[in-house]
Each structure stands twice: as C-alpha cells, then as structure tokens.
C-alpha cells in the first residue's frame, strides 16, 4: 500500500496526543491533517481524508456529534479514540457511524495496524467498484446492471432492496444502523419510519436463503444495526 496517497485526519483536543500520533503516522508516510475540536474537524474533512481518527471527549462538540455530522458527507473509515470504556459508549460510537473504537491508553502499534487494515479494505472496495462486480462465495453483485446472482439464480430484488444489498456489500464488515441505511436510501428529509429497513432486510434474507441456505450475508449486530459478512 502506498502511504503517500493516504491522508489521515486526526482530531483530539489534547495537543500532546496530536503530536505523538502525528509524528508516528508521518514516519509511516501518511499525510496528516489535524484538528483540536469538532468544528475544525468538519472543516478539515472537506479535504476528503482517507481515514479519520476521532476523540470522543471534546468540549463544545463531542466526537459522537462530530461523527454523525461527518457521516452526512463522508464515507471514509472513522476510528474512535476514547477513555470511555463502557459497552454503552462503544455501541454509541459505532451506531453514530464509527467503524472502530480504540480505548485510551492505546498501543501505537495496534492503532497503526487498525489504520492499515481499514485502508486496505477501502482499497479493495474501490477496486471492486472499478470492476463493477462484487464477488462473494455463491453470490455476485453487478453494480452497473443492478442485479444480484446467487448460485446461478438471478434474485428478484426491488430497487430499495438492491440498494441495501449494495450499500452493505460495498462496506463488508462495517456496521450500519437502521437510521443510517434509511437516510442513505431515502434522504434526511424523507418522511417515514426507519423500521421499514427491518422489513426490507427480512425480505432480502428470505430471497437469498431460497438459493443459499448455508449463508446469511446480512448479519444483525444486536443493539447497533446490520453488516455484510459473506463468511
């Protein structure tokens, strides 16, 4: 992976942590943008970073609020850094649109490994988009033709059902809440209830199960939402 092409936005209100992580990442070849508060983070995000490292506990605008606003305009991986260790805090971070949650104090080696893993996954997604076909065990998705084939059978999905499948499959392993899926498909100003996502996913699962009984593809992450897992 060529780190020179990857930009990381680092957001934390502690200057010492900013300096510590920035130096380490720049030595790895990353370009690092920094922000000391949530509002500056939203401004810096306009430079389209490849990944965002986001502190949770910040004055005025906390990391959860920042993440929710970032998700209106960016799809890049967001890794939370937080001293908040409860399960509820981790669930809140993931439900807000975070992809990962690392506790303070943290291992720099682990942080770098997670960054590398997320960026590697994003590269695979971009390559799949360019190829226009997503391939999984027993299942292929033609992004140009908007079709899904499972074990040789074309699956008759509605437009909304197909878009849910494509969204989750494009971000394999990333958890999306019902609210996030609803907003991406219907828009923020749409009138309706995000509970409709549950019904759509039930129908998708039933259609896929008819031809691939041994695989679920769309997994429920209890208390958070759904993710694509073809294993």
């Amino acid at each position: 992976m060529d780190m020179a092409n990857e930009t990381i936005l680092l957001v934390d209100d502690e200057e010492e942590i900013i300096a510590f992580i920035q130096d380490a990442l720049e030595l790895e070849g990353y370009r690092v943008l920094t922000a000391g508060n949530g509002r500056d983070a939203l401004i810096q995000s306009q430079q389209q970073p490849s990944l965002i490292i986001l502190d949770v506990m910040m004055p005025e605008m906390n990391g959860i609020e920042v993440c929710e606003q970032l998700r209106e305009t960016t799809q890049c991986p967001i890794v939370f850094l937080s001293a908040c260790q409860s399960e509820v805090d981790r669930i809140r971070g993931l439900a807000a649109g975070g992809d990962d949650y690392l506790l303070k104090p943290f291992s720099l080696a682990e942080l770098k490994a997670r960054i590398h893993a997320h960026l590697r996954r994003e590269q695979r997604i971009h390559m799949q988009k360019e190829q226009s076909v997503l391939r999984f065990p027993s299942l292929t998705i033609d992004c140009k033709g908007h079709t899904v084939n499972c074990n040789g059978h074309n699956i008759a999905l509605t437009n909304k059902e197909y878009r849910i499948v494509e969204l989750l499959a494009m971000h394999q392993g990333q958890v999306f809440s019902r609210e996030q899926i609803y907003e991406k498909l219907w828009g923020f100003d749409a009138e309706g209830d995000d509970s409709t996502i549950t019904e759509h996913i039930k129908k998708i699962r039933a259609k896929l199960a008819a031809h691939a009984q041994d695989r679920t593809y769309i997994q429920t992450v209890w208390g958070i939402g759904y993710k694509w897992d073809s294993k």
Side-chain angles (χ1 to χ4, degrees):
M1 181 184 295
D2 185 2
M3 303 305 179
N5 296 324
E6 304 292 355
T7 299
I8 294 177
L9 172 56
L10 175 57
V11 187
D12 201 299
D13 63 334
E14 296 185 44
E15 294 181 2
E16 295 83 0
I17 290 181
I18 287 277
F20 174 63
I21 298 177
Q22 182 176 9
D23 288 347
L25 295 183
E26 287 179 344
L27 284 173
E28 293 284 329
Y30 295 108
R31 173 175 175 250
V32 181
L33 306 173
T34 64
N37 58 67
R39 302 198 185 283
D40 286 348
L42 295 175
I43 294 172
Q44 289 282 50
S45 71
Q46 295 174 14
Q47 297 192 50
Q48 299 183 330
S50 305
L51 181 142
I52 298 171
I53 300 172
L54 182 59
D55 184 30
V56 174
M57 300 299 292
M58 295 186 293
E60 297 183 23
M61 191 177 190
N62 66 44
I64 302 297
E65 296 168 325
V66 174
C67 184
E68 290 173 340
Q69 291 199 33
L70 285 170
R71 280 298 178 228
E72 296 179 16
T73 57
T74 183
Q75 293 298 314
C76 77
I78 295 177
V79 178
F80 278 111
L81 285 182
S82 177
C84 302
Q85 300 190 13
S86 74
E87 181 181 19
V88 171
D89 290 317
R90 293 195 297 274
I91 289 174
R92 283 185 63 213
L94 296 171
D99 298 281
D100 209 342
Y101 197 102
L102 191 59
L103 296 175
K104 295 179 179 179
F106 57 89
S107 158
L108 185 58
E110 182 179 4
L111 175 61
K112 290 190 289 188
R114 293 195 189 200
I115 290 170
H116 191 84
H118 284 293
L119 293 178
R120 188 170 60 240
R121 185 183 70 184
E122 289 299 299
Q123 283 191 345
R124 288 199 299 267
I125 291 171
H126 291 312
M127 288 176 62
Q128 287 176 327
K129 283 184 178 179
E130 291 173 0
Q131 295 168 353
S132 78
V133 177
L134 307 180
R135 303 184 187 278
F136 304 99
S138 306
L139 184 142
T140 58
I141 302 171
D142 184 339
C143 299
K144 287 187 177 179
H146 283 201
T147 59
V148 176
N149 186 285
C150 186
N151 281 323
H153 299 273
N154 285 325
I155 308 301
L157 299 176
T158 66
N159 179 55
K160 288 294 192 297
E161 289 168 357
Y162 171 80
R163 289 179 64 193
I164 290 172
V165 168
E166 185 183 74
L167 171 66
L168 297 178
M170 282 284 191
H171 300 84
Q172 183 172 195
Q174 179 176 337
V175 181
F176 289 86
S177 67
R178 292 191 315 181
E179 293 83 357
Q180 287 175 308
I181 298 172
Y182 186 85
E183 288 166 356
K184 290 179 184 298
L185 269 62
W186 276 268
F188 287 91
D189 299 325
E191 295 182 1
D193 185 351
D194 60 41
S195 63
T196 186
I197 297 299
T198 303
E199 295 304 315
H200 280 302
I201 287 178
K202 284 182 181 178
K203 292 176 181 178
I204 294 168
R205 283 172 168 166
K207 292 177 180 181
L208 295 178
H211 302 289
Q213 294 88 348
D214 60 330
R215 298 186 186 276
T216 304
Y217 296 108
I218 299 178
Q219 290 193 356
T220 298
V221 181
W222 297 109
I224 304 177
Y226 303 96
K227 70 175 181 178
W228 186 269
D229 189 345
S230 61
K231 296 179 181 178

